[in-house]
Amino acid sequence: MPADLPPTEGLLSEVAATQQIAAAFARMSGLFLSVETVTTALKLITALSTEMVPRSAGAGITLVDSKGERVTAAATDDLVEEADSLQYRLGTGPCLAAWADRVVLRVDDLAVDDRWPSWSRQAVRLGLRSSLSAPLVAGTQALGAIKVYAREPHTYGAREERLLTMFAAQAAMLLSNMRAAKDAERVSAQIADHLRTREAVTLAKGIVMARDGVDERTAFLTLARTAGEQRTTLRRVAERLGQSTVRRLR
């Protein structure tokens, strides 16, 4: 078993695994530049976790969706999704506990473990016997949890705990960075939209001022009144006026 490796061999194995994790995330970061989808990122993370933690039957990542519900955001197979769904439905299980308590949780044998009996019994019926869960923590935020399942008891040991902990830390930073990038992109889009609105309204005010011989405030009130009458936005009224004026000038 991995936990029984001689000290020197175990250390070399962990160093090699650490290097593999660093290399894998370096490759993944490069891929994000072209793929740029969170879904792809999560699928890559689960696939890599099964590679890094040998003898795993599958892996998955639990996060919170836009509605505040706990969901399996990515899974290597249906078995993982079934085991996770049981935890969400029952409100108990090692993955949820690892997330809530921000600790790594190992289950050596689901058939005898009594910490989450209602979940464990049903997980055994699915053909699972071991699990290892680690929280995804970035700074002060607990983003979710990553877990691996195995069909044999006593699959995971202290070595696998350290590996999954390192992997979870890297995955959490990656997810946090992706969220930050997504938030920044959304803010940038909002700013760009605001600037486009301001430009359209400024142009429309100038058209009204020239057409009606009024000041800037009166021109703005004219646009606002038109928007109210037409039950549309100020920007839409401004854009229509600008477009119609351009057509007339042609």
Side-chain angles (χ1 to χ4, degrees):
M1 294 177 61
D4 297 327
L5 287 172
T8 303
E9 185 179 344
L11 179 59
L12 290 175
S13 296
E14 284 197 32
V15 171
T18 303
Q19 292 173 341
Q20 285 181 311
I21 290 173
F25 274 93
R27 291 196 304 273
M28 193 186 297
S29 296
L31 183 59
F32 288 153
L33 296 177
S34 58
V35 178
E36 297 181 346
T37 64
V38 173
T39 300
T40 299
L42 298 181
K43 287 180 179 178
L44 284 170
I45 289 172
T46 53
L48 287 171
S49 64
T50 56
E51 292 180 18
M52 295 298 101
V53 185
R55 298 194 298 158
S56 295
I61 290 178
T62 296
L63 301 174
V64 173
D65 66 11
S66 58
K67 298 178 182 178
E69 299 291 332
R70 292 169 295 195
V71 296
T72 299
T76 54
D77 51 56
D78 293 340
L79 178 62
V80 173
E81 292 195 8
E82 287 186 59
D84 284 354
S85 293
L86 283 173
Q87 294 195 55
Y88 309 150
R89 188 163 62 250
L90 296 169
T92 185
C95 175
L96 298 183
W99 182 359
D101 298 336
R102 302 189 182 193
V103 295
V104 177
L105 288 175
R106 187 179 84 205
V107 182
D108 293 326
D109 190 349
L110 289 166
V112 297
D113 191 274
D114 60 0
R115 285 173 289 181
W116 311 280
S118 58
W119 177 79
S120 296
R121 286 194 298 270
Q122 296 189 56
V124 169
R125 295 192 192 106
L126 293 176
L128 298 175
R129 291 295 297 273
S130 303
S131 77
L132 184 61
S133 306
L136 301 177
V137 179
T140 59
Q141 275 193 312
L143 305 175
I146 184 170
K147 87 288 296 188
V148 287
Y149 296 115
R151 295 184 180 278
E152 299 296 327
H154 301 285
T155 296
Y156 308 119
R159 175 178 175 274
E160 285 71 31
E161 286 188 20
R162 290 192 293 272
L163 284 176
L164 194 64
T165 298
M166 288 189 292
F167 196 87
Q170 293 292 325
M173 284 191 290
L174 198 59
L175 286 168
S176 179
N177 289 340
M178 284 191 299
R179 288 188 175 188
K182 191 174 181 181
D183 289 342
E185 184 179 349
R186 184 167 56 248
V187 170
S188 295
Q190 290 172 347
I191 292 173
D193 185 67
H194 175 73
L195 290 174
R196 285 192 293 271
T197 297
R198 189 173 68 178
E199 289 170 359
V201 172
T202 298
L203 176 61
K205 283 191 300 183
I207 294 171
V208 173
M209 289 168 67
R211 183 192 67 194
D212 300 345
V214 296
D215 60 18
E216 182 178 353
R217 179 175 181 278
T218 303
F220 178 80
L221 292 175
T222 298
L223 294 171
R225 184 173 61 254
T226 302
E229 292 171 350
Q230 296 180 0
R231 296 184 179 180
T232 187
T233 63
L234 182 63
R235 175 176 171 177
R236 186 62 183 141
V237 168
E239 287 175 337
R240 285 173 179 168
L241 179 57
Q243 291 164 2
S244 64
T245 302
V246 169
R247 284 196 296 269
R248 283 198 302 272
L249 291 175
R250 287 176 181 173

